[in-house]
Amino acid sequence: MAKFSNIVLVGFMGTGKTSVGGLVAARSGFKFIDMDDVIQRRTGKTIPVIFSEDGEPKFRSLERALVRELSELSGQVIAAGGGIVLNPDNIADFERTGLVVCLLASAEVILKRTASDTGRPLLAGEGKMDKIIRLLEARKKLYERIPHHIDTTDLSVEEVANGIMSLFGRGMTPMSIL
Ligand code: S3P
């Protein structure tokens, strides 16, 4: 039996959760779930519209409810939103059955990866680099609390996926390999 029922990717915006998650899902045979996509589909609103019409606290409560739901299921690779660490209960729920891996990247690379993006309200408008630096600093300790980290700054999507699959493989008991 596998030790982990799910693989959960957390980390700041632009650290590669969605692209890496898709590849890890293909390799593990797990189903890929992007939490932001699920929230957008269910509410019929984009993330920026949820933030502007309903406010960030509403978005965080939608996220919280979805974490509770997903952590009861298995066989999923979950790309969580970057702010999932703001509520430690989210991480505790995911860690009960999942391998939780935090992806990291330098502020410069995050800026590059999110440059043409308009779907992230916390980085919208002028002064994107300042916003990235400030948010990274504010959340640093929360991301650091997660035991598994992969710095994606200089890695390809394939290399990051390999790292995750190797962590996942180490979580298998000998029985599950037979
Ligand atoms: C957020 C990250 C976003 C999205 C929302 C808030 C955050 O997800 O959930 O814009 O607080 O860091 P990604 O990390 O997938 O961009």
Side-chain angles (χ1 to χ4, degrees), residues 11-14 17-18 36 47 51 59-60 63 80-83 119-122 139 143:
F12 199 79
M13 295 170 269
K17 302 175 299 269
T18 302
D36 286 344
I47 303 289
F51 269 67
F59 176 74
R60 298 300 173 201
E63 265 189 328
R120 292 179 170 107
L122 297 179
R139 294 180 180 176
Y143 291 128

Side-chain angles (χ1 to χ4, degrees), residues 109-174:
V109 162
I110 289 170
L111 180 66
K112 229 183 269 169
R113 290 181 187 161
T114 59
S116 56
D117 181 85
T118 52
R120 292 179 170 107
L122 297 179
L123 302 183
E126 295 299 301
K128 201 177 233 188
M129 189 56 161
D130 284 349
K131 287 176 182 156
I132 291 171
I133 290 170
R134 247 185 298 118
L135 263 182
L136 271 176
E137 188 52 37
R139 294 180 180 176
K140 194 169 180 272
K141 285 207 165 59
L142 300 172
Y143 291 128
E144 277 174 1
R145 264 190 221 156
I146 292 154
H148 301 293
H149 290 105
I150 299 180
D151 189 340
T152 70
T153 304
D154 297 315
L155 298 182
S156 66
V157 171
E158 286 74 19
E159 287 169 323
V160 181
N162 289 345
I164 292 166
M165 288 311 290
S166 136
L167 284 170
F168 184 61
R170 275 186 252 148
M172 308 288 254
T173 64

